[in-house]
């Protein structure tokens, strides 16, 4: 993990990979160094081992050890047999233990009984083996004893330094066809290709291998991941994201494992390499939480869908669709919209494709008058004159090519599907040849459905070789186009620049003193309220306490007074004004209506007294004495708005999950809800609302004024912030949340806490790390200019645009090693990826000041600390604005990055610096980096934390 720096006043620095990898063209700060040393590429020994030991090697027919040795026979690196019972295997020396081999071993392939594996892994750790494939079964899939055995294996692997990386146990192994590596016991080897396949099912792997040979599908990598004792989805997706031979990643998933690692890696990779997943378990009964509206509405499979959307992963339902989408996304550009133009020589197949497209949520693109006129010139008089474009059954190659060309040129079209049915006058091969020049020239996807058997095979092959994805049936092709659009739109929305909402977790109020980041008053106040309830041994907040929690986060709540006596209730009602609502005040009862604890539309003092007594008597009869602590008094809210629900509950895999949808008493019956993962931005909040049916009504329906959707977005963002920060909250429901043109108001809220005996480290972890507000600090430049140093956020893109406008050509050149033009540097596609960082993978700090009477924000510099996945190392980058150099800012910012590295439990931070970059060398020395000359003209800087 290296950093290359160039001389610059103020110490601007840039990573080596900024100019050496293709990704650096669009995202230099986040590209990975393909020349990273072995410790920085922890999976290199798994995918490109220089030496392999097969432990359990055997000549016994039908044994796993024999199959592995035979598959490795052609691997052009050293392969050693280890078997204590044999001196030779297939005529080659066999070693009793891996420690006896006497040369460094990159990869150990273990095929021995489960009970021997902990000892063998310990020996591998002792011998310095860097990684292991454990093919053996008999671990946690066999119950508690196997799970305990698995933990022994993990402990043995962790005794090595660096830790020995393990794939498995109970896996098929790993193949890298381009390198000739087949470290599996499979009977089939796939051909090289651009698709990486990862599966939790070894049996499915063997079936896919057989299928791939028949269908001529090639792979860049083929991984059976097993029970994911160590290496998981996140590790593999990160590795494959850097692999230049991998163009798309397909996944067969049975369990998520480390949800944060999976989402972190997938969000990073999915924008440049499609990730398509099939996740089993769709029909599993949804998890029920009887005391929570949110819990009862949050099914496990729906959470998987929400998580995949948040990571940009395309979920499919069948194995066929899995590889269809991998092929089409690897070959074709992603559509810019949902509109498809269909060109067909038969009306029926075109209608089938159109039906499937529209039912799926796509659209048929309209034909402009210009397009119709142009088609009139090249098609027979009886053509359909609409989309689908039926060019009739006697269409030859020239007619097909002209029609498809015009369809591609249609401005309203986002993609084209060409359908061919073999008719007497049809030449499928010649037509495919005629369409070849149209492939990949428009920036729009071109799909084809060549229907039929052997007579169309040659045409299919021609189109496939030209990069046009072909499908046997037109409805399948239409479904694929819509899935492409769905994935494209989801990725676009994930990286859409959000607006900055108020009361977000990065306000300057969180940093009240220089270099002393303090928690916000809001966070601390709510934490104290929750702590008081926990100290009382309670898991349920009262309604009044719950509303105070919402109000602290800027969520509007109806005015609520607690009355502990009948007279207090009368007085509170008089102060608020009639009519009022009285509700049970209790610290033990969850749903007030179930015990007769609600009285509405109370219009006078006598009614208040009757309501008090009625609630007290009903609660005593239905729940028993001791639950009635008085009532809350609230004004009756007259509204013509919509009743919504906003809630959160805990998912076993992904932690807190947000829910938004139609609320009220029929919430479970209506089942109109969408799920998301906290934290949200304004854009993500809007997308969450758009997934519900009620969203159309909120925009205004049947003469009703629209709801203030901007305010509703802010409330969702604030609510997600509450959920992300207050980890002791297990469940929270706002139901109903009233939304009208005039107001948005929480009428009722319920907050349930985790059990008091739970330790903080046992609390469910958010699947996506929230904004690290504790890294916000204040500081002053040498001239006394006050600045705020804080982590970067997605909303900062406009500030970075202005920052780049201030940079000189010299600063730009020394940062990026080329005269990168302003329009390239501030392109949304680039800056959005820089701003949408994953705080688990990297930490970027911006230095900003406020200027002018209106407090306009201005960025003075940016520092970035990029972690290497799977290691405890990181690299840094600095970019200081020209006018702010030589004021101590670069030194202070690097010190902050080093301290953050310590806080994040990193072991070291390194950099490679050019010898003429005197400023950077001096800066590193001041901060405590060790410097030494590397071979050539570079200097290596390293600080051990």
């Amino acid at each position: 993990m290296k950093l290359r720096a160039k001389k610059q006043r103020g110490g601007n620095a840039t990573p080596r990979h900024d100019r050496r990898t293709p990704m650096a063209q669009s995202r230099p700060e986040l590209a990975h160094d393909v020349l990273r040393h072995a410790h920085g590429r922890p999976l290199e020994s798994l995918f490109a081992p220089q030496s392999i030991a097969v432990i359990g090697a055997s000549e016994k027919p039908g044994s796993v050890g024999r199959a592995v040795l035979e598959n490795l026979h052609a691997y052009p690196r050293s392969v050693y047999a280890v078997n204590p019972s044999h001196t030779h295997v297939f005529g080659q020396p066999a070693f009793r233990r891996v420690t006896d081999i006497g040369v460094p071993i990159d990869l150990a392939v273990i095929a021995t009984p489960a009970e021997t594996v902990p000892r063998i892994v310990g020996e591998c750790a002792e011998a310095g083996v860097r990684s292991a494939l454990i093919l053996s079964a008999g671990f946690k899939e066999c119950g508690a004893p196997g799970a305990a055995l698995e933990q022994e294996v993990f402990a043995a692997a962790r005794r090595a330094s660096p830790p020995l990386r393990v794939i498995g146990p109970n896996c098929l192994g790993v193949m890298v066809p381009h390198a000739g590596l087949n470290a599996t016991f499979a009977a089939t080897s796939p051909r090289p290709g651009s698709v990486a396949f990862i599966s939790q099912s070894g049996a499915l792997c063997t079936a896919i291998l057989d299928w791939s040979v028949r269908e001529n599908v090639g792979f860049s990598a083929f991984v059976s991941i097993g029970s994911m004792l160590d290496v998981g989805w996140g590790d593999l997706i990160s590795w494959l994201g850097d692999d230049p031979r991998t163009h798309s990643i397909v996944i067969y998933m049975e369990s998520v494992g480390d949800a944060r690692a999976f989402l972190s890696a997938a969000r990073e990779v999915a924008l440049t390499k499609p990730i398509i997943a099939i996740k089993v378990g769709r029909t599993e009964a949804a998890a029920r939480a009887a005391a929570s509206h949110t819990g009862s509405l949050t099914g496990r499979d729906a959470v998987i869908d929400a998580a995949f959307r948040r990571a940009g992963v395309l979920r499919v339902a069948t194995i066929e669709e899995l590889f269809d989408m991998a092929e089409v996304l690897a070959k074709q550009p992603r559509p810019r919209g949902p509109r498809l133009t269909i060109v067909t020589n038969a009306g029926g197949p075109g209608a089938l494709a159109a039906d499937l497209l529209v039912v799926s949520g796509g659209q048929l693109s309209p034909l402009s008058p210009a397009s119709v006129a142009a088609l009139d010139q090249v098609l027979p008089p009886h053509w359909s004159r609409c989309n689908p474009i039926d060019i009739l059954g006697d269409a030859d190659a020239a007619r097909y090519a002209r029609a498809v060309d015009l369809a591609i040129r249609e401005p309203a079209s986002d993609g084209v599907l060409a359908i061919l049915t073999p008719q007497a006058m049809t030449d499928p091969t010649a037509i495919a040849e005629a369409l070849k020049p149209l492939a990949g020239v428009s920036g729009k996807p071109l799909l084809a459905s060549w229907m039929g058997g052997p007579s169309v095979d040659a045409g299919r092959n021609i189109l496939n070789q030209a990069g046009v994805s072909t499908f046997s049936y037109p409805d399948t092709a239409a479904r694929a186009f819509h899935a492409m659009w769905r994935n494209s739109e989801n990725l676009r929305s994930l990286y859409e620049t959000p607006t900055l909402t108020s009361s977000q977790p990065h306000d300057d109020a969180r940093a009240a003193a220089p270099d002393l980041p303090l928690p916000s008053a809001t966070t601390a106040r709510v934490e104290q309220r929750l702590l008081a309830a926990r100290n009382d041994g309670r898991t349920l907040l009262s309604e009044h306490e719950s509303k105070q929690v919402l109000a602290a986060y800027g969520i509007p709540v109806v005015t609520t007074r607690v009355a502990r006596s009948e007279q207090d209730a009368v007085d509170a009602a008089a102060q608020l004004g009639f009519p009022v609502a009285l509700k049970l005040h209790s610290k033990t009862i969850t749903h007030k209506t179930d015990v007769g604890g609600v009285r509405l539309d109370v219009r006078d003092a006598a009614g208040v007294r009757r309501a008090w007594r009625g609630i007290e008597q009903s609660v005593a009869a239905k729940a028993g004495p001791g639950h009635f602590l008085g009532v809350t008094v609230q004004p009756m809210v007259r509204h013509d708005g919509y009743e919504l629900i906003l809630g959160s509950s805990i998912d076993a895999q992904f932690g807190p999950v947000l829910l938004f949808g139609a609320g009220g008493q029929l919430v479970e019956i209506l089942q109109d809800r969408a799920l998301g993962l906290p934290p949200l931005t304004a854009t993500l909040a809007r997308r969450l609302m758009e997934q519900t049916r009620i969203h159309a009504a909120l925009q205004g329906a049947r003469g009703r004024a629209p709801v203030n959707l901007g305010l509703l977005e802010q409330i969702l963002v604030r609510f997600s912030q509450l959920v992300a920060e207050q980890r002791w909250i297990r469940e929270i429901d706002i139901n109903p949340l009233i939304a009208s043109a005039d107001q948005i108001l929480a009428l009722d809220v319920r907050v349930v806490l985790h059990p008091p005996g739970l330790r903080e480290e046992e609390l469910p972890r958010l699947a996506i790390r929230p904004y690290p507000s504790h890294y916000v600090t204040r500081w002053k430049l040498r001239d006394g200019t006050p600045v705020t140093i804080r982590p970067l956020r997605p909303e900062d893109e406009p500030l970075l645009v202005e920052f780049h406008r201030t940079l000189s050509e010299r600063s730009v050149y020394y940062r990026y090693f080329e005269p990168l033009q302003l329009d390239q540097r501030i392109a949304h596609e680039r800056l959005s990826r820089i701003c949408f960082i994953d705080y688990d993978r990297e930490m970027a700090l911006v230095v900003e000041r406020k200027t002018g009477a209106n407090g306009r924000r201005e960025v003075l510099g940016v520092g970035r600390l990029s972690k290497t996945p799977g290691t405890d190392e990181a690299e840094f980058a600095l970019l200081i604005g020209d006018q702010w150099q030589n004021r101590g800012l670069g030194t202070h910012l690097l010190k902050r990055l080093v301290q953050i590295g310590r806080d994040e439990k990193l072991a070291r931070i390194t950099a490679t610096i050019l010898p003429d970059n005197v400023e950077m060398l001096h800066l590193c020395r001041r901060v405590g980096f060790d410097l030494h000359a590397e071979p050539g003209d570079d200097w290596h800087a390293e600080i051990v934390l």
Side-chain angles (χ1 to χ4, degrees), residues 153-396:
V153 173
F154 184 77
R158 283 298 172 269
R159 286 198 289 270
S161 181
L164 187 152
R165 302 309 307 268
V166 174
I167 286 184
N170 191 19
C171 70
L172 182 71
V174 170
M175 302 184 195
V176 184
H178 292 281
L181 175 66
N182 184 351
T184 75
F185 56 92
T188 305
S189 295
R191 62 185 291 269
S194 61
V195 177
F197 179 60
I198 316 173
S199 173
Q200 267 182 298
S201 168
L204 180 67
C205 283
T206 58
I208 292 296
L209 284 171
D210 289 344
W211 170 87
S212 71
V213 172
R214 185 180 71 248
E215 297 295 325
N216 204 30
V217 173
F219 295 95
S220 59
F222 198 95
V223 184
S224 170
I225 200 171
S227 64
M228 298 191 298
L229 171 65
D230 173 35
V231 173
W233 300 112
D235 298 295
L236 294 172
I237 290 171
S238 292
W239 173 270
L240 296 168
D242 283 342
D243 176 26
R245 295 187 184 276
T246 296
H247 297 169
S248 58
I249 302 171
V250 297
I251 289 172
Y252 173 83
M253 179 183 287
E254 294 175 351
S255 61
V256 175
D258 187 335
R260 180 176 285 188
F262 165 68
L263 293 178
S264 174
R267 289 168 67 204
E268 171 72 16
V269 172
L271 194 62
T272 53
K273 295 185 179 181
I275 302 175
I276 307 100
I278 182 169
K279 170 69 173 68
V280 295
R282 282 186 178 274
T283 59
E284 183 177 339
R288 296 289 175 180
S292 167
H293 287 304
T294 303
S296 67
L297 292 170
T298 308
R300 178 180 177 185
D301 197 63
V303 178
I304 292 287
D305 281 338
F308 282 7
R309 279 194 303 271
R310 185 65 180 268
V313 174
L314 175 63
R315 187 179 187 183
V316 298
T318 67
I319 295 292
E320 180 182 21
E321 192 179 3
L322 187 73
F323 285 94
D324 280 346
M325 295 311 303
E327 177 189 5
V328 72
L329 287 170
K331 287 182 176 179
Q332 293 291 312
R334 297 177 185 182
R336 299 186 181 95
R339 299 167 300 185
L340 178 66
T341 304
I342 300 171
V343 179
T344 178
N345 69 343
L352 285 172
D355 281 348
L356 194 287
L357 176 74
V358 174
V359 168
S360 299
Q363 302 172 24
L364 287 171
S365 54
L367 296 181
S368 65
S371 293
V372 172
L375 288 165
D376 279 337
Q377 299 299 313
V378 300
L379 297 183
H382 302 298
W383 76 279
S384 61
R385 303 185 62 79
C386 65
N387 185 12
I389 301 171
D390 187 348
I391 62 176
L392 306 181
D394 61 346
D396 59 10

Side-chain angles (χ1 to χ4, degrees), residues 51-98:
S51 54
I52 303 175
V54 180
I55 304 176
S58 173
E59 295 182 12
K60 181 181 178 181
S63 68
V64 172
R66 177 182 178 125
V68 173
L69 271 181
E70 289 176 340
N71 285 337
L72 287 172
H73 176 71
Y75 186 59
R77 296 292 186 271
S78 300
V79 178
Y80 302 91
V82 178
N83 190 318
S85 302
H86 297 78
T87 58
H88 289 77
V89 176
F90 290 119
Q92 298 298 317
F95 300 88
R96 290 184 57 81
R97 301 193 317 163
V98 70

Side-chain angles (χ1 to χ4, degrees), residues 375 377-378 396-407 435 438:
L375 288 165
Q377 299 299 313
V378 300
D396 59 10
R399 187 190 302 174
Y400 251 105
R402 289 194 295 267
V404 170
D405 183 42
L406 289 171
L435 295 188
L438 301 178

Side-chain angles (χ1 to χ4, degrees), residues 2 70 76 126 128 132 141 150 177 251 397 410 467 473 479 490 527 564 599 608 720 770 779 799 838 890:
K2 306 276 183 148
E70 289 176 340
E126 178 186 345
E141 75 274 10
E150 200 166 287
I251 289 172
E410 166 57 56
Y473 303 104
R479 183 185 293 111
N490 183 47
E527 286 176 351
R564 291 180 171 81
R599 297 292 188 275
V608 170
S720 78
W779 190 64
L799 292 180
D838 186 320

